Amino acid sequence: MEKTNLTILLTSRCTLKCKLCATYAPQNKKPCHYDSKIIMASVDKYFASMGDVCLFTLSGGEPLLHPDLVRMVQHFKQYASRMEKFEIITNGTIVPSEALLLALKEIPNVDVMIDDYGKNISKKVDAVVMSFEKYGIRYRRRKYYGEDAHAGGWLDISDFSDKGRTEEENTELFHKCMYTTTFSRHFFIIDGKAYMCYVNHRLLDDINEREDEHVDFCDENLQLSDIKEKLYALRDRNHLSVCARCNGFCTDGKRYTPAEQLQ
């Protein structure tokens, strides 16, 4: 069975207000921590239906804000042997608690991603690094400032006006987008629903999507075989309804200064 990648959004709350946030945290009208019971049950169903994963990521918002993070990490530990890498993405503004550090230390394949936006934004990044080093927890520090910022900067996919494209043009954009190329084996779970793209109604209130554009892990009528079938059907689509309004998350898109803060 082909291994996939799985990212879980734990929260839409964040310590920053990045103008071009890829998960639209500042635009969320009702930011919240997603229910940890739903998160853990969804992950259980994913592993039961889809098998092992290459990269398992906890993200946000800022995941270190979630009050049940330690309990979730301890729950996910049971799947450590079924993932090549256990990743948490954090923005260098919160020093992890000792309880979290102890929980992460128990996971042999953990690899924390620290997004460093410079000392004016990631104000506690050095203390964050020191805490992981003290507990012997593997981490990476992704530099997102200066002329040599990672990947040359961020992309802007915030314009969702109707582009007036033909269906063929939407299909062409869909197959060019990183969500079907770079992230072709990737699924994202947000509040018990699985998506292949962050441009969805759960993160953006004014986005309307069809029922077949996500998989609802909370649907008790779905068998494990149904979940697998629906997830792969999602990846086999020609395009999503939102493609008509999106510029695409494409590698050749114009780059912008990362983490520019909204006032």
Side-chain angles (χ1 to χ4, degrees):
M1 182 185 296
E2 179 190 39
K3 290 184 179 180
T4 57
N5 297 324
L6 179 63
T7 292
I8 314 297
L9 267 68
L10 303 185
T11 180
S12 59
R13 294 180 180 174
C14 192
T15 52
L16 301 177
K17 294 183 178 180
C18 299
K19 179 180 178 181
L20 300 180
C21 176
T23 60
Y24 307 99
Q27 286 76 34
N28 197 309
K29 297 176 183 177
K30 297 179 180 179
C32 65
H33 298 310
Y34 300 123
D35 190 314
S36 58
K37 291 181 180 179
I38 291 176
I39 291 171
M40 291 185 288
S42 298
V43 170
D44 291 344
K45 286 186 178 181
Y46 189 92
F47 275 100
S49 60
M50 295 294 288
D52 298 352
V53 304
C54 293
L55 177 62
F56 179 84
T57 303
L58 302 181
S59 185
E62 171 49 58
L64 268 62
L65 286 173
H66 200 295
D68 286 341
L69 177 57
V70 173
R71 185 158 68 99
M72 287 188 283
V73 168
Q74 291 170 335
H75 180 83
F76 300 145
K77 178 186 173 183
Q78 66 184 295
Y79 300 115
S81 63
R82 300 184 56 191
M83 56 180 81
E84 294 179 12
K85 183 182 293 184
F86 184 114
E87 177 183 69
I88 297 181
I89 300 178
T90 186
N91 62 21
T93 64
I94 299 177
V95 179
S97 67
E98 183 179 27
L100 177 59
L101 292 165
L102 289 171
L104 292 175
K105 188 176 176 63
E106 294 297 313
I107 302 175
N109 50 352
V110 69
D111 193 356
V112 180
M113 174 69 80
I114 305 170
D115 281 338
D116 184 354
Y117 300 114
K119 299 296 177 61
N120 291 331
I121 298 176
S122 298
K123 296 182 179 181
K124 297 182 180 179
V125 67
D126 288 339
V128 172
V129 166
M130 288 177 61
S131 68
F132 290 129
E133 290 185 345
K134 177 181 178 181
Y135 282 80
I137 296 169
R138 188 184 302 109
Y139 70 89
R140 291 163 288 154
R141 190 169 178 171
R142 186 160 57 180
K143 183 177 182 290
Y144 263 128
Y145 61 90
E147 295 182 358
D148 58 343
H150 175 73
W154 281 4
L155 294 165
D156 182 358
I157 50 170
S158 61
D159 175 16
F160 296 111
S161 59
D162 191 338
K163 304 300 186 295
R165 301 192 196 97
T166 64
E167 185 169 342
E168 290 74 18
E169 288 171 331
N170 288 330
T171 297
E172 181 180 357
L173 177 67
F174 180 78
H175 289 292
K176 178 183 174 184
C177 182
M178 279 195 276
Y179 286 118
T180 57
T181 54
T182 305
F183 305 121
S184 62
R185 297 183 299 159
H186 218 120
F187 293 100
F188 308 90
I189 294 181
I190 309 170
D191 199 25
K193 293 182 173 63
Y195 301 86
M196 59 169 294
C197 173
Y198 281 149
V199 183
N200 57 69
H201 180 68
R202 190 65 186 86
L203 298 184
L204 291 160
D205 290 341
D206 61 342
I207 295 295
N208 294 316
E209 62 193 36
R210 296 173 10 181
E211 286 298 315
D212 61 350
E213 294 181 345
H214 62 257
V215 179
D216 188 354
F217 282 80
C218 297
D219 184 349
E220 296 297 335
N221 294 318
L222 282 183
Q223 303 297 314
L224 295 178
S225 57
D226 297 329
I227 291 174
K228 181 178 179 180
E229 181 181 345
K230 286 180 175 293
L231 286 172
Y232 277 117
L234 193 57
R235 295 244 58 113
D236 289 339
R237 298 179 60 89
N238 284 325
H239 61 268
L240 301 175
S241 56
V242 75
C243 291
R245 298 174 57 188
C246 184
N247 283 320
F249 195 61
C250 302
T251 55
D252 62 354
K254 182 179 178 181
R255 303 288 167 156
Y256 296 86
T257 301
E260 181 181 353
Q261 296 298 290
L262 294 169
Q263 299 301 317

